[in-house]
Amino acid sequence: MSPLLDVRNLRISFPSRQGPVEVVRGVSFTLGRERLGIVGESGSGKSQTGRALLGLTPPSGRATADRLEFDGVDLRHATPKTWRSLRGARMSMVMQDPKFSLNPVMTIGKQLIEAVKLHGGKAEARDKSLAMLEAVQIRDPERVMAAYPHELSGGMGQRAMIAMMLVTEPDLLIADEPTSALDVTVQIEVLRILDNLVTQRGMGLIFISHDLHLVSTFCDRVLVMYAGQVVEEIDAADLQNARHPYTRGLLNCLPKIEGGVRPLPVLTRDAAWLKAGG
Amino acid sequence: MTIQSEGRASALPGWLFKLGKLTATVAFTLFGLLLVTFLIGRVVPVDPVLSVVGDRASPSTYEKVYLELGLDRPLYEQFYLYAKKAVTGDFGESLLTKKPIISDLARAFPATLELATVGIIIGTLLGIPAGVWAAVRQGRLIDQLVRIFGLVGYSAPIFWLGLMGLLLFYAKWELVAGPGRIDISYEYSFTSTTGLMLLDTAMQGQWAAFRNVVSHIALPACLLGYLSMAYIARMTRSFMLNELAQEYVVTARVKGVAEWRIIWVHALRNAAVPLVTVIALSYANLLEGSVLTETVFAWPGLGQYLTNSLQNADMNAVLGGTLLIGIVFVGLNIFSDLLYTLLDPRVRTRL
């Protein structure tokens, strides 16, 4: 079976005064109906990779690739119409902070129903939305439907966001640091909901995070990105046996309850990593 | 459902509280306004007695009127009397027209109101789309054109634009009627009820007179519309640029929302919140009586009335007009505040 997503040599550059700066430099991977984690520090290009898959590279940037295919559709030359038929219906994205990613002057219900209506199902849009809110374990969906984003807590908002992105039953979900704006206690809850829904519906998931530990427990496979390149691709279960010095460095930085080194080692970077490539 | 009605019930005292606060604010503002206009009337070097009795009155007449006007009493008492009269709408008589100020204002204000309203409608209807368009095509040709067009509106003196307009559209091409609100031949073909000629003629079915009024108002209203458009378009552009960079716009794109809907529904709905204030302020600006426009177009409005009164040291008229402008300003501010609350759910709950 051909993979859901096939990315070969993805490059994203932004213009600057010193000429174009490449923030993603030749990323390649394939994704089936599985959970793929992308980890890396700030500025490693993981978010831009995620956005490029949805054609949402900011207008000033330029994304090129040797191959960028979603379920047999070439995304490199997709027309706005193609994009609209894919986005929402077949691929969607949960963003970092529900405070900013939900429209502040529209009720949750209106935003949810809009998503349903865009991809057919006008008649039962409301029922579908209510059912979806229940699926993300919101106890009184009627109230949440009538609420504005600022009236919800972060955890509730993110659950509503997940509901909005999954209500159309897409094949691929990109979760761009979906829990980093939430309280630690709520994080686990939201992740569990996300995990259940993704597994139940058999979607492909790209989970972007800077939290190596979280990614390893939550995903099947992990891509480690450094400076716009994939430095290591590894099964989540094998993460302890990672070979690349950057991944090892990241792992060593994590505090351990027993047998840890104090102070924690500082991440060392090697200029050679920049050239090596994944 | 029960929870929802509970939410409504708990919101009610908030509204009541807001209403009380509003009333207090308005009362306080108007009181301040009255005090300031009163003090202005007392400090200007115009002798109110002389304006009434004239230069050649005998000392005894002067003395009599001096007492009649209550000028011998302490200042606070004078203010009390002034305020008491002002509340009932009595601002005294105009020296110039020999009529009560209030009836003068009732005649002049609708002219300004009509002109300003048509002007702001033109400005808003053109300014918002122009601003949105410029924001969406930021840095492109259309954006530059809107900015240049706006810049001209900002910087060209309005009397010059008005005169050029009259020269071209009225004198040369005869597309519109000349100065004034209406031709004299139509002036008595209908009865004035609201004072807004467009409304009066339309309601009484006097279509010939209506067309004449439209022809008269077209040029000055377009001119004022252009000025407010320049401002509204510029502000809309910057608000829209700000909104289009927000994350919820990305969310809408991810959902597959059509681009026009993202711009005109998602982003503009958010940009509308600060825009309300911008539009209300430019409307207030036009309502204050655009003195220059009214002068160029011989428009018998508030601006012209005030200028004439000032030049003739008719202080009663000036104070009455100033107070009216103040009231309009306060009223518009309240109105835009209310609209603001209506448009932005975040403000609504914070009350």
Side-chain angles (χ1 to χ4, degrees):
Chain A
M1 204 184 95
S2 69
L4 192 59
L5 191 69
D6 192 352
V7 182
R8 287 277 164 267
N9 194 21
L10 175 70
R11 291 175 177 275
I12 302 170
S13 63
F14 286 91
S16 78
R17 266 178 231 165
Q18 285 86 36
V21 173
E22 278 206 320
V23 296
V24 175
R25 307 182 298 147
V27 167
S28 305
F29 63 91
T30 57
L31 178 82
R33 293 186 180 269
E34 58 181 328
R35 293 167 301 181
L36 173 73
I38 301 182
V39 278
E41 56 192 14
S42 303
S44 59
K46 53 192 195 306
S47 284
Q48 284 305 333
T49 303
R51 293 199 174 198
L53 299 179
L54 279 162
L56 291 173
T57 303
S60 58
R62 244 175 68 80
T64 56
D66 291 346
R67 177 184 263 182
L68 192 60
E69 269 183 22
F70 172 76
D71 205 13
V73 182
D74 188 351
L75 297 179
R76 287 175 304 170
H77 308 294
T79 58
K81 205 178 153 208
T82 316
W83 274 122
R84 275 209 308 282
S85 67
L86 287 176
R87 287 183 199 149
R90 305 211 51 205
M91 51 212 288
S92 57
M93 175 162 78
V94 174
M95 274 169 293
Q96 191 168 351
D97 195 339
K99 266 199 196 68
F100 303 114
S101 54
L102 292 169
N103 189 334
V105 298
M106 277 169 106
T107 58
I108 300 291
K110 223 175 152 192
Q111 296 184 53
L112 251 168
I113 289 171
E114 184 186 39
V116 184
K117 277 187 176 167
L118 276 169
H119 307 288
K122 291 198 175 170
E124 72 278 27
R126 198 184 152 76
D127 295 335
K128 238 177 160 177
S129 307
L130 282 171
M132 196 63 223
L133 284 178
E134 263 169 42
V136 293
Q137 295 173 23
I138 284 176
R139 271 180 293 279
D140 40 1
E142 285 282 359
R143 187 184 73 89
V144 173
M145 286 281 271
Y148 287 96
H150 71 277
E151 295 169 329
L152 300 179
S153 66
M156 286 277 255
Q158 198 61 310
R159 277 189 257 175
M161 181 79 188
I162 291 172
M164 196 181 305
M165 287 306 161
L166 293 187
V167 71
T168 50
E169 302 183 4
D171 300 307
L172 169 66
L173 180 71
I174 298 166
D176 188 357
E177 309 228 14
T179 56
S180 31
L182 305 181
D183 285 344
V184 182
T185 44
V186 189
Q187 277 184 6
I188 310 293
E189 219 178 306
V190 169
L191 278 179
R192 200 168 293 138
I193 292 168
L194 191 63
D195 189 25
N196 281 339
L197 289 170
V198 166
T199 321
Q200 272 169 28
R201 291 165 196 226
M203 303 181 216
L205 172 75
I206 294 179
F207 187 87
I208 299 169
S209 176
H210 60 258
D211 190 335
L212 201 56
H213 187 65
L214 194 73
V215 166
S216 65
T217 55
F218 188 64
C219 296
D220 306 318
R221 208 148 48 92
V222 180
L223 294 182
V224 182
M225 279 185 78
Y226 176 73
Q229 291 178 319
V230 176
V231 292
E232 185 154 23
E233 184 176 347
I234 191 167
D235 278 349
D238 287 342
L239 200 64
Q240 296 306 322
N241 310 322
R243 278 188 309 272
H244 195 277
Y246 178 65
T247 319
R248 294 235 51 95
L250 282 180
L251 284 169
N252 288 337
C253 292
L254 296 175
K256 298 181 190 73
I257 291 179
E258 269 175 52
V261 206
R262 276 175 207 275
L264 288 168
V266 175
L267 196 58
T268 50
R269 292 149 211 269
D270 192 336
W273 301 347
L274 292 173
K275 290 171 204 131
Chain B
M1 272 332 205
T2 48
I3 301 163
Q4 215 177 331
S5 62
E6 211 177 274
R8 292 275 182 277
S10 65
L12 194 65
W15 278 104
L16 277 177
F17 176 70
K18 168 86 178 164
L19 200 70
K21 214 168 89 177
L22 198 75
T23 320
T25 317
V26 172
F28 187 74
T29 316
L30 290 183
F31 177 80
L33 198 64
L34 205 62
L35 187 62
V36 170
T37 50
F38 169 78
L39 289 179
I40 290 173
R42 288 297 172 272
V43 295
V44 287
V46 176
D47 189 335
V49 182
L50 274 188
S51 342
V52 175
V53 297
D55 293 347
R56 291 176 201 155
S58 65
S60 64
T61 326
Y62 183 93
E63 196 68 13
K64 196 164 155 256
V65 174
Y66 185 82
L67 291 176
E68 247 173 40
L69 290 174
L71 293 173
D72 56 329
R73 300 189 207 183
L75 208 58
Y76 64 86
E77 220 177 304
Q78 286 184 42
F79 177 62
Y80 173 72
L81 288 174
Y82 174 76
K84 211 165 105 181
K85 277 184 166 177
V87 167
T88 60
D90 179 7
F91 298 105
E93 248 178 35
S94 162
L95 295 176
L96 214 58
T97 58
K98 305 290 174 208
K99 281 190 214 154
I101 305 287
I102 193 87
S103 72
D104 273 356
L105 290 178
R107 200 172 34 75
F109 185 64
T112 296
L113 182 68
E114 189 167 39
L115 184 60
T117 307
V118 178
I120 199 73
I121 289 173
I122 293 174
T124 308
L125 289 185
L126 294 180
I128 290 183
V132 170
W133 205 15
V136 172
R137 309 243 153 195
Q138 189 196 1
R140 305 266 198 78
L141 183 67
I142 182 69
D143 184 22
Q144 306 296 350
L145 284 180
V146 167
R147 282 160 75 177
I148 291 169
F149 194 62
L151 197 68
V152 173
Y154 264 19
S155 39
I158 186 161
F159 61 87
W160 182 79
L161 285 178
L163 287 172
M164 290 310 285
L166 275 176
L167 187 69
L168 291 176
F169 295 101
Y170 167 59
K172 198 159 180 201
W173 298 327
E174 294 177 10
L175 288 170
V176 295
R181 288 182 84 187
I182 189 166
D183 283 351
I184 199 122
S185 51
Y186 292 107
E187 198 160 357
Y188 300 101
S189 65
F190 65 97
T191 46
S192 177
T193 46
T194 60
L196 304 170
M197 286 189 173
L198 284 172
L199 219 60
D200 284 342
T201 51
M203 280 194 310
Q204 291 162 32
Q206 299 289 337
W207 297 111
F210 179 77
R211 274 194 296 278
N212 187 259
V213 173
V214 169
S215 178
H216 272 280
I217 205 172
L219 198 54
C222 282
L223 193 64
L224 291 182
Y226 175 39
L227 292 188
S228 52
M229 188 205 107
Y231 181 53
I232 291 171
R234 209 169 94 143
M235 298 312 277
T236 307
R237 179 180 177 275
S238 83
F239 293 148
M240 279 299 281
L241 281 179
N242 182 38
E243 292 303 329
L244 286 172
Q246 300 291 319
E247 282 280 290
Y248 69 81
V249 170
V250 178
T251 306
R253 289 211 173 100
V254 170
K255 285 200 297 190
V257 177
E259 199 61 28
W260 67 265
R261 203 178 143 82
I262 292 177
I263 295 161
W264 294 97
V265 179
H266 284 260
L268 186 60
R269 183 67 180 66
N270 277 280
V273 178
L275 260 183
V276 164
T277 316
V278 167
I279 293 170
L281 278 182
S282 31
Y283 189 37
N285 218 353
L286 298 188
L287 274 177
E288 279 168 21
S290 335
V291 175
L292 289 173
T293 317
E294 288 186 358
T295 310
V296 170
F297 289 94
W299 198 262
L302 200 56
Q304 216 183 39
Y305 179 71
L306 277 179
T307 328
N308 284 342
S309 310
L310 261 174
Q311 281 165 353
N312 290 284
D314 188 352
M315 282 322 285
N316 281 344
V318 173
L319 294 187
T322 313
L323 202 61
L324 178 65
I325 287 172
I327 291 169
V328 165
F329 206 86
V330 172
L332 264 175
N333 258 320
I334 293 167
F335 180 70
S336 77
D337 271 4
L338 285 179
L339 216 56
Y340 204 100
T341 355
L342 218 70
L343 283 173
D344 193 344
R346 283 163 295 186
V347 181
R348 228 178 291 161
T349 30
R350 225 182 289 134
L351 291 173

